[in-house]
Amino acid sequence: MVGLGTWSLTRAVLIILLLSRSLEGCGYINLSTPVVHLGDAITASCIISQNCGYLDSESQIVWRLGEELLPGGRQQRLPDGTQESTITLPHLNDSLALLFCSLPWSKGLQILDVAELRAGYPPTTPSNLSCLMNLTTESLICQWEPGPDTRLPTNYTLKSFKGLNDCQVQEEAIPDCIPEDGQSHCSIPRQHMRLYQAMGIWVQAENVLGTRKSLQLCLDPMDVVKVEPSTLRALDPSPEVTPPQPGCLLLHWEPWKPSLHIEQKCELRYRPQLGEASWALVGPLPSKSFQHELCGLLPFTAYTLQMRCIRWPLSGLWSDWGPSLVLISSKQPPNVTLETWWRQRQLNSSTVDVQLFWKPMPPEEDSKQIQGYLVSWEPSGQAGVVPPTPLCNTTELNCTFNLPSEVQEVVLVAYNTAGTSQPTPVIFSEHRGPPVGSLHTMARDPHSLWVNWEPPSPQPRGYVIEWGLGPPSPSGSHKTWKMEHNGSITGTLLQENIRPFQLYEITVTPLYQDTMGSSQHIYAYSQETGPLNAPELRINQIGNNWACLEWVPQAPELGKSPLTYTIFWTNPIGQSFSITLNASSHEYVLHNLEPASLYHIHLMAANQAGAANSTVLTLKTIASEEPELHVILILLGLLVLLICFCVTAWLCCRPSRKNSLWPSVPDPAHSSLGSWVPTTTAVEEIYRLPSLRDPSMPTITNITVLEEEEKKPGPCEANDSSGTCGLPTLVQAYVLQGDQRALSIQPQPQSGNSDQVLYGKVLGSSTGPGPGYYIRCDSTQPLLGGLTPSPKSYENLWFQTSPLRTPELLVPNHEDDCVFGPLLDFPLLQGLQVHGVEGLGGF
């Protein structure tokens, strides 16, 4: 505050020094008071001398408070020729402000004078004055509360004097003590006071608005002596010192050396480090022995201890709490009761496997003294004779061991270095009682499970509840259990080792007086999740007003609520419908649909925790007339196929039409002449090929097969000289179409057919044993009259049939000048292998 005022004055001085020398001494400001109470009014006047050469009679004085222009004040000319302007500020709300008096000057304002205005509060009375005698510095230290800020520079002074009669009489003044800036305490040195003599002390606060004094203290410096706390430590063990009892601590402390000549008393406070326990206070402690045995503590528990002291029996002040000391109380044998639970499994006829569980009671904070657990077995009839056989020694709360089948009891104890607890017998009873009924679970929150059941009859004495992670976790791993001793309850809350979204297996076993009941188990989730996805819909069948949908239902999961399936569908006009089905459903038929309409369908799978939707399936129903049209088309197609099949069978099976479409012609290069013999009788087959030279003549080859009905003598039989009387009656003639230009000069065959030229005759009988013969004619007609054009790729010339002709028997004629002999030089058969009887036996 003082620094702010100094800066403001310096600024004002600089502004005044910067005033124009021509206006120096022209005007000045008078204030009613330089400092006012914050919010009060203040009046200021600016007087301009008549010697100011630049002052016009019409010059108007301008006021400015900081950066704010103020309304013009009352301005008047005095009888002596000076001008005066007076202004009143109704409320001064700033603790520091500058007020300027100015004149218009060269299109601006020229400052004539500046004044500093201050506002604040008078000081409040200092309170809570207290003093203490510090033996270390040998000074009297006093402190007080100054009160709220005054907004003005305020000075505090600690005043004192040496007094008599409870400070009613002032004997000698003591120099004032002025604290440092911002401090509210001050020290009176030892040389300015007398010990064991009263002193009057008070604090005075002063600023420009007033002065305040605190209440006066009258005290003897030795009455306010504050000693330092003693140093606390544990008593070192020695043969002369008896070890502490269980749950006790032996303490020792050393007083502060400057206070050895001062009688004092001390207090001790302590609390266990476990948890947030409150402090416990012990005192006063003996002042001469400087040691103390603190009992009533928890065995083998860490404690925090502190000590403080005060001058006693004379008056004084408590010292501060000394530094903390951490000690661990002595041990005692565990004083706990062990609750037990077990499982048995028969390994063979003589050995059983036992898994034993236990819990110390009272709760955990009372069982920290336990260092381990011992399970032992003492053979019956040898108690005290043979030492017990240890089965396991562990720090865990469970143990697995093997026992003979006849052993029905083991002993469990807890121990530490001070001894063992009372033995807890464990008797293995059989499962003979009835189990609980109607076991149910419910998750109240993600970290707890409520289990309830129907109590069996007769009522048990209690229950054992076990829980642990369900499949796929290994059976029996990390099981948590608790025992309920009230057999009338029907449920319990499980809160230990419960995590969200985990599957738990819960087992409840009733306990009877000398036996136990069968265990019942159930699976449950601490916090169930909804299904991840829904089955996909598929269309099985569809009609004009119905659709059959199917899906693969999800397999039920352990511990989860059963699923329900809901089918939603929307018709073309936006109307929605739904149907809910149970978890075993896998198909559904939608009825009352519109023909030839689009429907949007999806499936929702839901349980108690949530739901999931499948993808949307879009289907269109069949139009009403489409089924009849399909049936008609199918029937017509079947009818056409049947007709075609019948016609084909008729054409293929009719004897007169056999081989009419696709004759079987053997390959001349890989067959004999015998394979050319027809197999049908009394049938005439004529194959006519088109001419390769003249398109107007379609037949190029006419093969006529003649078969005789009975054997008759032919013309050749009458002529013995020719050597051909034994020829067969059946005659096969092979006639080739020749050049049409030579038809006029060729002899005509006996058949009278003018479009054929006979080159040779094949004579033979299909029933005769002899070989066949052919007669070559001495015709001058060339076999191939000329080059013929090659057939087109699409012309199947060799399988075009010609109309049937009447078979005609051809007989040899000597006039034709033909000779009998083998068919070796017949042009069309030169590629055939002509053999003997086996090759020509058909003729």
Side-chain angles (χ1 to χ4, degrees), residues 691-718:
S691 175
L692 299 177
R693 177 180 295 272
D694 190 357
S696 63
M697 301 181 68
T699 304
I700 64 172
T701 303
N702 191 351
I703 301 175
T704 305
V705 180
L706 302 178
E707 183 177 355
E708 63 180 346
E709 296 293 335
E710 60 182 0
K711 209 170 198 182
K712 295 181 182 180
C716 295
E717 294 179 359

Side-chain angles (χ1 to χ4, degrees), residues 724 761 772-776 819-825:
T724 60
K761 298 180 179 179
Y773 302 91
Y774 85 99
I775 301 174
R776 181 175 179 88
V819 294
F820 294 92
L823 302 173
L824 299 179
D825 56 351

Side-chain angles (χ1 to χ4, degrees), residues 602-625:
H602 74 273
L603 179 69
M604 182 183 72
N607 60 10
Q608 293 180 356
N613 293 328
S614 68
T615 55
V616 178
L617 174 67
T618 301
L619 63 85
K620 182 178 182 181
T621 54
I622 301 173
S624 301
E625 63 276 3

Side-chain angles (χ1 to χ4, degrees), residues 138-199:
E138 294 185 349
S139 61
L140 184 66
I141 302 174
C142 298
Q143 61 182 7
W144 62 90
E145 293 182 4
D149 184 16
T150 62
R151 304 282 189 95
L152 295 173
T154 303
N155 298 321
Y156 293 90
T157 305
L158 180 65
K159 294 182 174 291
S160 59
F161 63 88
K162 300 174 185 177
L164 300 174
N165 299 328
D166 296 333
C167 302
Q168 297 296 325
V169 178
Q170 180 175 347
E171 183 181 8
E172 181 182 353
I174 299 176
D176 294 342
C177 180
I178 299 176
E180 297 180 1
D181 292 340
Q183 301 294 331
S184 58
H185 60 82
C186 201
S187 299
I188 302 175
R190 171 72 176 82
Q191 63 269 20
H192 294 160
M193 59 183 174
R194 296 177 184 175
L195 299 181
Y196 304 104
Q197 183 180 3
M199 295 179 58

Side-chain angles (χ1 to χ4, degrees), residues 622-653:
I622 301 173
S624 301
E625 63 276 3
E626 288 183 0
E628 291 77 3
L629 181 59
H630 287 170
V631 172
I632 293 173
L633 292 177
I634 291 173
L635 293 178
L636 288 177
L638 292 177
L639 182 60
V640 171
L641 289 177
L642 181 61
I643 293 173
C644 293
F645 177 77
C646 294
V647 171
T648 304
W650 178 75
L651 292 176
C652 294
C653 297

Side-chain angles (χ1 to χ4, degrees), residues 676-678 683-688 699 701-707 730-736 751 753 755-756 758 760-764 802-810 843:
W676 287 67
V677 179
V683 177
E684 179 183 15
E685 295 183 2
I686 300 175
Y687 295 86
R688 182 168 304 204
T699 304
T701 303
N702 191 351
I703 301 175
T704 305
V705 180
L706 302 178
E707 183 177 355
L730 179 63
V731 178
Q732 295 180 350
Y734 294 84
V735 181
L736 291 177
S751 62
N753 197 352
D755 59 350
Q756 295 182 352
L758 185 64
K761 298 180 179 179
V762 181
L763 303 178
S802 60
L804 295 177
R805 297 191 178 187
T806 304
E808 184 178 47
L809 182 62
L810 299 178
F843 293 91

Side-chain angles (χ1 to χ4, degrees), residues 674 677 765-772 836-843:
V677 179
S765 174
S766 62
T767 59
V837 177
E838 68 278 7
L840 301 174
F843 293 91

